[in-house]
Amino acid sequence: MSKVLIIGCGGVASVAIHKCCQVPEVFTEICIASRTKAKCDKLAAELAPTTATKITTAQVDADKVEEVIALIKAYQPDLVMNIALPYQDLTIMDACLACGVNYMDTANYEPENTDDPEWRAIYEKRCKEAGFSAYFDYSWQWAYAKKFEEAGLTALLGSGFDPGVTQAYCAYAKKHEFDTIDTIDILDCNGGDHGYAFATNFNPEINLREVSAPGSYWENGHWVEIPAMSIKREYNFDQVGDKDMYLLHHEEIESLAKNIPEAKRIRFFMTFGQSYLDHMRCLEDVGMLSTTPVNFNGQEIVPIQFLKALLPDPASLGPRTKGKTNIGCIFTGKKDGKDKTYYIYNVCDHQECYKEVGSQAISYTTGVPAMCGALMLLTGKWTTKGVHTVEEFDPDPYLDALDKYGLPRSESHNPALVD
Ligand code: NDP
């Protein structure tokens, strides 16, 4: 029924591609295109005997709009799934606009080079005006809204777990559980253990940038920014147990504040073990998280990229990681004039994911929603034109698809709240 171009062939893309191949009646043909074609060929060879989906591969540098345009023109897809890195969001959106194709991704735009003076001037103005200093924000992609609308196209932003499913949980709570939502706490717990003293569960550069940035939350119509890791809480997670979690800035807070304007407070917490935090602080203190190139023996080296080369490849953590993730949202608000609380979450087992698709749960919990987001667009469940985040669409068919394809929801109507 559909032809889909998937850009990227890393940890998350690999799961999304496995999942597309489980739904060949929708994903009739896919083209896996990435910077390193050999990775695409390897995955295609592995999957071809197991699926009716017709798989082809291609090489593309998605930093170059003309290369993406040429590939789209040659392949003629119904949808482009960007599962490369946030650095490529804008070039791939430009190519989709030029070719008249729908677009989706799993993370909002951030620049690879945060020292670029042109970007930096806009960034510093935004920090002052908006009140948060993360390198990533929606403004760059929201700026495409009119162009996508006028072209009659849809760009679905951030269809991973968080962002992604967490926003569908918010839309679901708003549609079925509350008349008004007062507070939203998004809780992301990884109870998995890979046995390494330090490793990141997805792209190290993106991950370390995210967790070393100042934390922030939305309260009474504005951002409150705090030093990184300075708000800590303990929470007892279903099927995982007690974990320390820390308040982080996270991209979906920005769109939720816009789309659920009655929410008085929106926070995001992620669990971290002491070993991860100690290593991260040390790496930051010695400058290893810097994105500014340094000259070493006559060669330019970007410290965080060098660190990435030293750390275990997240894709290799699959066989080693044991335990479960638990990610969801706790709401307080009102229904029929009465106060109520509600918690909706998913629990995912690292080893089960590995058995099914050869990846750990972090890639799995992102790759499955990427496939389900594509499914919504390709089957005409989500058709609004323009540039939209997940909470702007009907959550019901998306959550049904997640239940069916590996990320079933759990609920509590009497959850412990986070103070
Ligand atoms: P990986 O680093 O494992 O994979 C990235 C892939 O993109 C690689 O195949 C890489 O190719 C390819 N790529 C990088 N640059 C280019 C380029 N210029 N042109 C073409 N291909 C390129 O990342 P992950 O799979 O861990 O993450 C993928 C995305 O998912 C990221 O945007 C990340 O932020 C997002 N994410 C979202 C989450 C959510 O819940 N919403 C959670 C986790 C991740 P090569 O092999 O040559 O390097």
Side-chain angles (χ1 to χ4, degrees):
M1 195 181 94
S2 318
K3 255 176 123 173
V4 177
L5 172 62
I6 301 171
I7 301 183
C9 192
V12 174
S14 158
V15 175
I17 293 161
H18 270 89
K19 285 290 174 180
C20 293
C21 291
Q22 291 178 11
V23 197
E25 62 280 17
V26 176
F27 296 88
T28 329
E29 291 181 42
I30 61 172
C31 174
I32 314 170
S34 192
R35 196 165 46 181
T36 314
K37 186 170 174 286
K39 286 190 195 170
C40 311
D41 291 337
K42 186 168 174 281
L43 184 61
E46 195 184 306
L47 285 169
T50 69
T51 178
T53 301
K54 184 175 167 216
I55 310 171
T56 50
T57 61
Q59 199 279 331
V60 71
D61 179 352
D63 288 324
K64 301 197 173 97
V65 184
E66 359 30 284
E67 282 197 23
V68 185
I69 290 178
L71 180 59
I72 296 176
K73 282 193 172 151
Y75 188 65
Q76 298 281 317
D78 301 297
L79 171 70
V80 175
M81 295 173 74
N82 167 16
I83 320 182
L85 296 176
Y87 310 148
Q88 283 86 44
D89 287 2
L90 302 185
T91 45
I92 300 177
M93 286 177 88
D94 281 329
C96 284
L97 271 175
C99 300
V101 186
N102 289 333
Y103 166 92
M104 63 163 287
D105 64 31
T106 61
N108 70 8
Y109 173 70
E110 69 181 277
E112 184 156 20
N113 176 12
T114 51
D115 294 323
D116 171 18
E118 207 181 307
W119 174 85
R120 194 120 208 136
I122 299 169
Y123 162 75
E124 278 164 12
K125 187 164 172 275
R126 188 218 76 202
C127 289
K128 273 204 203 98
E129 285 172 7
F132 69 96
S133 60
Y135 287 144
F136 49 89
D137 74 278
Y138 278 112
S139 64
W140 299 89
Q141 290 176 278
W142 281 341
Y144 284 69
K146 207 161 184 292
K147 286 190 207 160
F148 269 78
E149 229 173 275
E150 283 171 2
L153 296 173
T154 304
L156 168 62
L157 306 187
S159 185
F161 206 104
D162 43 344
V165 180
T166 49
Q167 288 139 292
Y169 286 164
C170 293
Y172 180 87
K174 179 83 186 137
K175 183 174 174 184
H176 297 289
E177 297 285 336
F178 292 93
D179 295 326
T180 51
I181 292 176
D182 291 333
T183 67
I184 304 170
D185 278 333
I186 303 166
L187 271 47
D188 179 333
C189 163
N190 180 8
D193 183 7
H194 44 57
Y196 286 115
F198 186 73
T200 63
N201 292 302
F202 67 97
N203 185 286
E205 198 178 327
I206 306 292
N207 183 220
L208 290 167
R209 274 192 190 196
E210 175 178 290
V211 300
S212 59
S216 64
Y217 58 98
W218 183 256
E219 192 168 50
N220 297 324
H222 60 86
W223 289 96
V224 180
E225 190 157 90
I226 55 157
M229 304 293 174
S230 61
I231 294 186
K232 175 184 169 186
R233 298 284 186 270
E234 202 182 299
Y235 199 80
N236 185 263
F237 289 92
D238 182 25
Q239 298 181 54
V240 174
D242 281 330
K243 287 278 168 193
D244 290 338
M245 58 184 193
Y246 297 82
L247 189 146
L248 296 188
H249 175 81
H250 223 247
E251 67 187 62
E252 65 266 51
I253 302 177
E254 194 187 355
S255 70
L256 289 170
K258 185 175 151 207
N259 293 314
I260 308 186
E262 85 253 23
K264 295 186 187 75
R265 192 187 65 202
I266 309 172
R267 302 184 295 186
F268 180 97
F269 290 91
M270 190 178 272
T271 63
F272 294 101
Q274 200 51 46
S275 171
Y276 182 97
L277 294 178
D278 291 344
H279 279 80
M280 199 185 75
R281 190 161 304 129
C282 172
L283 290 166
E284 186 164 30
D285 287 347
V286 298
M288 282 301 286
L289 302 189
S290 169
T291 54
T292 306
V294 292
N295 195 292
F296 180 74
N297 284 349
Q299 208 183 331
E300 288 251 298
I301 290 178
V302 177
I304 197 164
Q305 285 175 3
F306 180 66
L307 175 64
K308 182 182 174 204
L310 296 177
L311 290 175
D313 178 356
S316 71
L317 300 178
R320 308 173 54 105
T321 309
K322 297 192 172 63
K324 290 177 180 173
T325 60
N326 176 327
I327 318 174
C329 305
I330 300 176
F331 303 91
T332 66
K334 290 196 174 49
K335 180 79 175 172
D336 301 328
K338 287 197 192 111
D339 287 338
K340 80 176 267 193
T341 59
Y342 176 63
Y343 188 11
I344 177 167
Y345 59 94
N346 163 263
V347 176
C348 189
D349 186 299
H350 285 286
Q351 290 286 296
E352 291 297 319
C353 298
Y354 187 69
K355 260 189 250 154
E356 186 196 330
V357 297
S359 301
Q360 31 80 358
I362 306 300
S363 301
Y364 191 91
T365 53
T366 311
V368 174
M371 183 282 278
C372 292
L375 196 68
M376 295 300 103
L377 298 174
L378 296 169
T379 56
K381 302 270 186 340
W382 289 358
T383 54
T384 321
K385 308 301 173 208
V387 176
H388 300 286
T389 43
V390 170
E391 72 273 28
E392 294 179 74
F393 295 97
D394 182 2
D396 294 345
Y398 187 67
L399 294 188
D400 290 345
L402 291 161
D403 287 343
K404 182 171 171 189
Y405 293 111
L407 297 175
R409 70 196 107 167
S410 298
E411 297 179 303
S412 163
H413 284 87
N414 187 24
L417 300 180
V418 182
D419 63 9

